[in-house]
Amino acid sequence: MTEVHKLAIIGDGQLGRMTAEVAIPMGHEVYALGSAGERSPAAMVGAQQVEGYVMNAADIRRFAEIVGKEGSVFTLDLEQVNADALAGLKAEGYRVEPSPTQLKVIQDKWEMKQQLRAAGVPVVPFMRLDNPGDYRAARNQFGAELMVKARFGSFDGRGNLHASTRDNWDDIVRHFTDKKTGELAGLYVEQFTPFDRELAVVGARGVDNQVGLYQPFETKHRLSICHTVTTPANINADISDQAINRFHEVLRLNRGLGVLAVEMFEYNGEIYVNEYARRVHNSGHVTQDAHETSQFKLHLQAILGLELGSTERKARAAAMINILGTYDNSLTEAMLSAQDYGDGNAWLHLYDKAPRAGEPRKIGHVNAIGNNVAEALASAQAIHDVFGDPYAVAA
């Protein structure tokens, strides 16, 4: 494999930022394509910002020409990018990880669900949702409670609706119609499942079929946004084995190198896959401070053709809590006061992102370690509390 010294990230957000924070000390030039300007999260830590829209083929082409083909590898900050443009680069000999072909499946969650079901990976029952007849059929087949989901662009709580018997088809249309364009999103619907707990397994495939993975993380969400991640997960050996097996089942469906994060849940002693991502992931942020090799370094080792590092935890337990921001005059002051706040076992990671009016937005996270999960969570919570509780604003 040709030696790589340039890392090109499609996207300039916090995932690109945290990847750049690892890549630059390794001696790599880092470039980021995005529209956030010179104060983008990635640019603020040293990535060379290239202005452009990640869905625009011409901008991606211009970005590739700036970076160059020789000694470079292209990777992702997010899935919502122009996969066809990346496929074109790959066909020309650019190194692109993950596979643009697989990326197109991931971008359409309906296609992803079909892929998983066809491969025999356990998923909850689901069906396509295009019209009132489909909605009635879902009610008849799945019962009173449903999870309606957008096929494209849904993340961090966007694009999901827990529908009850009070919600009719008109309610669904209103919820999923774009207020700017008036277009109804492509939809599918799942049987609502009152799971026992949510889990995630994060790992990476490297060259020569190396696979490194972390033990399952336990995740908790609020408003469909990841709130906490803890390790070790409160599960028995059988559930842990099932979760790791599900990761390998999904990995077999995915070509290419780099991190894979599989979100799943436990229900009645069985593990079901919800969805997966072929990039560094929120559920793996805890690895920055709690594991021998962070998910960001593991991803880089994988796509650069290096030996994968140890994924062992450095402490008995660890926790991550996301920090969400809304427009609040006290926010900047809270950030500054939190910088030096903690007990020596907690680390604050801020993204240099401006809060977004009217909705909570991920602006940082706290990692902490401890002798047990409760202790780690308490250390992380002490810093998190400095920022207040935007969930209360959104509720």
Side-chain angles (χ1 to χ4, degrees):
M1 180 176 289
T2 305
E3 183 178 351
V4 173
H5 58 88
K6 292 182 288 187
L7 177 70
I9 304 172
I10 308 296
D12 58 2
Q14 67 261 26
L15 299 181
R17 174 194 181 93
M18 290 181 276
T19 303
E21 285 178 321
V22 175
I24 291 171
M26 292 172 67
H28 301 295
E29 298 175 41
V30 178
Y31 300 79
L33 174 68
S35 55
E38 62 183 13
R39 290 194 60 83
S40 77
M44 290 295 286
V45 297
Q48 299 180 50
Q49 181 82 10
V50 177
E51 282 296 297
Y53 182 39
V54 298
M55 289 297 295
N56 185 287
D59 287 347
I60 290 177
R61 165 63 59 185
R62 178 170 53 85
F63 180 59
E65 291 172 353
I66 290 171
V67 175
K69 185 188 302 183
E70 190 67 30
S72 65
V73 62
F74 288 69
T75 192
L76 305 177
D77 169 83
L78 73 171
E79 283 96 0
Q80 289 76 32
V81 304
N82 191 317
D84 289 331
L86 292 179
L89 294 182
K90 193 172 182 71
E92 294 173 21
Y94 285 86
R95 285 181 54 191
V96 181
E97 300 292 353
S99 160
T101 302
Q102 186 60 34
L103 179 59
K104 295 194 74 171
V105 175
I106 295 170
Q107 289 174 335
D108 183 348
K109 294 192 176 181
W110 160 256
E111 292 293 340
M112 182 196 296
K113 289 285 187 179
Q114 291 197 104
Q115 179 200 54
L116 292 168
R117 182 166 62 185
V121 179
V123 294
V124 299
F126 66 96
M127 60 185 291
R128 190 158 164 161
L129 185 59
D130 291 329
N131 52 55
D134 291 342
Y135 193 59
R136 287 192 297 271
R139 285 270 179 231
N140 291 334
Q141 185 172 340
F142 300 152
E145 292 188 271
L146 304 171
M147 281 300 297
V148 182
K149 298 185 176 183
R151 291 174 58 175
F152 300 95
S154 55
F155 62 98
D156 284 351
R158 304 175 187 90
N160 292 344
L161 177 65
H162 180 188
S164 69
T165 52
R166 296 188 302 272
D167 298 299
N168 57 35
W169 175 249
D170 290 339
D171 296 321
I172 302 301
V173 170
R174 276 193 295 272
H175 184 85
F176 287 99
T177 295
D178 188 293
K179 292 179 176 59
K180 293 181 180 179
T181 66
E183 295 182 359
L184 177 62
L187 303 173
Y188 69 101
V189 58
E190 296 178 346
Q191 177 179 295
F192 178 76
T193 305
F195 52 77
D196 300 308
R197 62 179 48 80
E198 293 176 279
L199 301 170
V201 177
V202 178
R205 177 193 285 125
V207 295
D208 300 326
N209 289 318
Q210 296 178 83
V211 176
L213 61 85
Y214 304 94
Q215 290 301 303
F217 301 118
E218 186 165 355
T219 64
K220 293 185 179 178
H221 291 68
R222 295 172 72 181
L223 301 178
S224 296
I225 302 173
C226 180
H227 179 50
T228 65
V229 176
T230 54
T231 176
N234 183 26
I235 54 177
N236 61 35
D238 174 63
I239 294 299
S240 178
D241 289 345
Q242 282 192 55
I244 291 170
N245 287 340
R246 297 289 175 267
F247 173 89
H248 285 289
E249 290 168 358
V250 175
L251 184 64
R252 284 193 287 271
L253 299 174
N254 282 264
R255 297 191 297 274
L257 307 176
V259 162
L260 166 70
V262 184
E263 297 184 82
M264 54 192 85
F265 57 84
E266 176 191 353
Y267 178 62
N268 284 346
E270 299 292 330
I271 293 293
Y272 297 83
V273 170
N274 181 29
E275 61 186 45
Y276 64 87
R278 280 308 311 268
R279 55 167 172 77
V280 290
H281 194 263
N282 198 166
S283 60
H285 289 356
V286 69
T287 63
Q288 284 176 296
D289 304 297
H291 292 72
E292 296 290 344
T293 307
S294 75
Q295 66 161 343
F296 303 99
K297 190 163 191 175
L298 193 72
H299 181 65
L300 289 170
Q301 289 168 338
I303 67 175
L304 297 174
L306 305 175
E307 183 177 351
L308 301 185
S310 167
T311 55
E312 292 299 310
R313 198 170 54 243
K314 295 189 289 188
R316 295 182 65 182
M320 188 274 325
I321 305 180
N322 271 326
I323 300 171
L324 302 190
T326 59
Y327 270 117
D328 182 342
N329 293 332
S330 65
L331 186 62
T332 301
E333 183 179 347
M335 284 183 174
L336 293 174
S337 64
Q339 292 281 6
D340 299 316
Y341 200 95
D343 59 5
N345 291 320
W347 297 265
L348 174 64
H349 299 269
L350 297 175
Y351 306 152
D352 282 312
K353 287 171 67 175
R356 181 182 289 142
E359 63 177 293
R361 187 186 194 196
K362 293 175 183 174
I363 60 169
H365 66 271
V366 185
N367 289 333
I369 59 174
N371 291 314
N372 52 60
V373 165
E375 185 177 294
L377 273 172
S379 292
Q381 192 71 49
I383 295 180
H384 176 272
D385 287 350
V386 175
F387 292 84
D389 188 3
Y391 293 101
V393 176

